[in-house]
Amino acid sequence: MQGFGVHTSMWTMNWDRAGAEKAIAAAVSYKMDFIEIALLNAPAVDAPHTRGLLEKHNLPAVCSLGLPEHAWASVRPEAAIEHLKVAIDKTADMGALALSGVIFGGIGERTGVPPTEKEYDNIARALTAAAKHAKSRSIELGVEAVNRYENHLINTARQAVEMIERVGADNIFVHLDTYHMNIEEKGAATGILDARAHLKYIHLSESDRGTPGYGNVPWDEIYTALAAIGFKGGLAMESFINMPAEVAYGLAVWRPVARNEAEVMGNGLPFLRNKAKQYGLI
């Protein structure tokens, strides 16, 4: 999980054989250091096929997910454990390095009231079991802090750190996202500094989830903070163009946020790469 990567939603959200072939070929053409694969349906993924493609192109991968409602860890920890074990196994079978994202809950999970200690107890229980299984498969787990409109449980870097330290496993890290940070943190640098001891992965996403450099994320502040902590983890561009209805609903994306791939990859990707080079991160 080092260098510059891209979320494969740029090309597909359906990780079947055709989607894998398209996304991996595209990522290679853009000379990405790694890709992030969304596991919306982990059991259906043809792991040997993906592993073969990744090995052919010498392309590392990270997987990500949000838990489905039947496996929300806050209320159904046992179901969450089983769901995460399947995803961890699929991640390992593909030859990927980590499983990250909203591994503690659902995208769109909200109760309408503040989180309870019971919810956090259940999440810690699920993540403890998942971390143990992940370690047996040499997989790391990432906890992504997301904004209050998508989940009510872990919204800030500090909350992610608190959960990781509560679990106490050495194979869990913090995953931040500039889109969520732009909503939740007191300042862009604050979240990065709060997570510095555990931060290994960050989504570089614009304020509207569209083309980086065309919104109001304070990119120089982000990169300055990453450089200040000596960040050596994965920098993953995450921009959305085409999403299935259930994903768009969870993310509350109701209109196109970028015109096309050419706009994002032709303008946003060079913008982010140049900033990373400017601050000595790649």
Side-chain angles (χ1 to χ4, degrees):
M1 294 187 298
Q2 290 187 324
F4 215 94
V6 62
H7 195 292
T8 55
S9 62
M10 180 57 53
W11 301 287
T12 183
M13 289 295 283
N14 184 21
W15 202 256
D16 55 11
R17 292 171 70 95
E21 290 167 7
K22 178 181 180 180
I24 290 172
V28 170
S29 73
Y30 286 107
K31 297 180 171 57
M32 308 309 299
D33 296 311
F34 67 90
I35 60 170
E36 180 181 331
I37 300 167
L39 292 184
L40 299 186
N41 185 8
V45 171
D46 185 338
H49 175 256
T50 295
R51 188 180 193 115
L53 291 172
L54 294 173
E55 291 178 347
K56 176 183 177 181
H57 295 288
N58 193 30
L59 183 66
V62 173
C63 294
S64 61
L65 56 72
L67 294 176
E69 186 170 358
H70 70 83
W72 286 353
S74 62
V75 288
R76 288 176 281 275
E78 295 303 323
I81 291 167
E82 292 310 308
H83 190 90
L84 288 169
K85 282 183 176 180
V86 171
I88 289 164
D89 287 339
K90 197 67 71 168
T91 298
D93 292 345
M94 283 191 286
L97 303 171
L99 175 67
S100 194
V102 193
I103 64 171
F104 55 88
I107 299 172
E109 176 185 2
R110 297 186 303 275
T111 60
V113 295
T116 66
E117 278 308 307
K118 183 177 180 180
E119 287 177 310
Y120 285 132
D121 287 344
N122 285 341
I123 290 169
R125 176 180 164 194
L127 292 183
T128 298
K132 182 178 180 180
H133 184 71
K135 189 153 192 176
S136 75
R137 299 300 311 269
S138 299
I139 294 295
E140 290 191 87
L141 296 179
V143 173
E144 180 182 8
V146 297
N147 73 78
R148 69 190 72 183
Y149 308 110
E150 294 180 28
N151 188 281
H152 70 296
L153 297 159
I154 297 179
N155 304 135
T156 67
R158 187 174 296 278
Q159 287 179 305
V161 168
E162 288 170 354
M163 179 54 66
I164 286 172
E165 292 183 344
R166 179 172 180 171
V167 172
D170 62 5
N171 62 328
I172 304 187
F173 59 88
V174 172
H175 169 175
L176 293 181
D177 183 311
T178 56
Y179 168 79
H180 301 298
M181 293 163 64
N182 196 48
I183 297 171
E184 296 295 343
E185 302 293 348
K186 296 298 185 185
T190 303
I192 292 167
L193 295 175
D194 283 346
R196 67 167 71 194
H198 301 280
L199 182 61
K200 291 189 178 182
Y201 199 69
I202 187 166
H203 277 164
L204 303 174
S205 186
E206 193 45 91
S207 56
D208 64 349
R209 294 190 181 274
T211 305
Y214 289 73
N216 57 29
V217 167
W219 292 109
D220 287 296
E221 185 178 348
I222 294 287
Y223 280 109
T224 296
L226 291 171
I229 67 169
F231 182 75
K232 301 298 183 184
L235 300 153
M237 185 182 77
E238 184 186 44
S239 297
F240 297 110
I241 298 175
N242 300 306
M243 289 183 287
E246 65 273 18
V247 177
Y249 176 79
L251 300 178
V253 175
W254 312 116
R255 67 186 188 281
V257 292
R259 285 195 294 268
N260 50 42
E261 176 187 334
E263 177 184 86
V264 178
M265 301 303 287
N267 297 325
L269 177 60
F271 170 82
L272 291 176
R273 271 183 165 155
N274 288 338
K275 284 290 182 186
K277 290 176 183 177
Q278 176 185 344
Y279 286 93
L281 294 169
I282 60 173

